[in-house]
Amino acid sequence: MDTTPDGRTVPPPHAGERETLVSWLDFHRATLELKCAGLDDRQLRLAPVAPSSMTLLGLVQHLTEVERNWFRRVFAGQDVPPVYAEGSGDGFALAPDRGADEVLERWRAEVARSRELIAGSALEESGTPSEAEAGYVGDRGVSLRWILVHMIEEYARHNGHADLIRECIDGTTGA
């Protein structure tokens, strides 16, 4: 099977390390998009799991920030501002005038930029996390391999949140 019944590409079971890591990250990116599919702006803003204020739209914004941080700032060394300035800078806070289409397009653009930045890079190449991140990581440098694994777990964790939120909104489960 090359795709799941919902159309996501299944990571190849016998690929090299880089292809495996990138494929799993893309699988989880596609899962997030699938969790948002078919919902309107109002539904994407619902926080149905009390007492949490987490929303699907907030998750997309957060993962936009995460993409930007790990691939642009850390790996490529770019000095770029946060995408969403509201709240703590983690992207979860919603702005009433920012619609779902804009948020999803911005996320897709960051994903595309992430792919461009790592194209042709060896898994051993390093990036430099911020001082705070370095304290958490325990080193002033992280390999692309480490970043890809971290991004897979970041998406996987938040896709679990997205699954619960989506089920509360309209009963859709799976993926």
Side-chain angles (χ1 to χ4, degrees):
M1 176 190 302
D2 292 337
T3 61
T4 61
D6 53 42
R8 291 172 296 152
T9 300
V10 175
H14 300 286
E17 182 182 14
R18 181 190 174 84
E19 184 179 356
T20 298
L21 292 172
V22 170
S23 295
W24 273 109
L25 178 53
D26 282 339
F27 181 84
H28 283 291
R29 287 167 170 156
T31 300
L32 178 65
E33 188 143 18
L34 182 65
K35 287 295 166 190
C36 297
L39 297 177
D40 62 28
D41 192 78
R42 181 193 64 79
Q43 291 171 309
L44 289 168
R45 292 172 180 276
L46 291 175
V49 184
S52 175
S53 61
M54 191 176 294
T55 67
L56 288 170
L57 197 59
L59 283 171
V60 174
Q61 289 183 169
H62 172 67
L63 287 161
T64 302
E65 294 289 5
V66 171
E67 290 272 352
R68 176 171 278 212
N69 183 60
W70 287 103
F71 292 109
R72 293 181 74 177
R73 288 190 194 106
V74 174
F75 187 69
Q78 296 178 355
D79 183 18
V80 291
V83 179
Y84 303 107
E86 301 86 11
S88 65
D90 60 11
F92 285 110
L94 302 179
D97 60 337
R98 187 182 314 112
D101 290 341
E102 178 186 343
V103 170
L104 286 162
E105 282 307 309
R106 175 64 94 157
W107 171 71
R108 288 181 195 114
E110 283 298 325
V111 167
R113 187 69 181 127
S114 296
R115 287 183 180 123
E116 290 170 10
L117 290 169
I118 67 168
S121 298
L123 293 175
E124 295 76 20
E125 287 186 44
S126 286
T128 306
S130 69
E131 260 187 65
E133 290 161 337
Y136 170 73
V137 171
D139 201 299
R140 284 295 300 154
V142 292
S143 69
L144 176 56
R145 176 185 290 105
W146 189 97
I147 293 169
L148 289 169
V149 170
H150 173 64
M151 292 297 292
I152 291 165
E153 68 85 15
E154 181 88 14
Y155 270 93
R157 180 168 17 99
H158 289 311
N159 282 337
H161 299 136
D163 194 43
L164 292 171
I165 295 168
R166 180 66 189 251
E167 184 176 4
C168 289
I169 293 170
D170 69 357
T172 299
T173 61

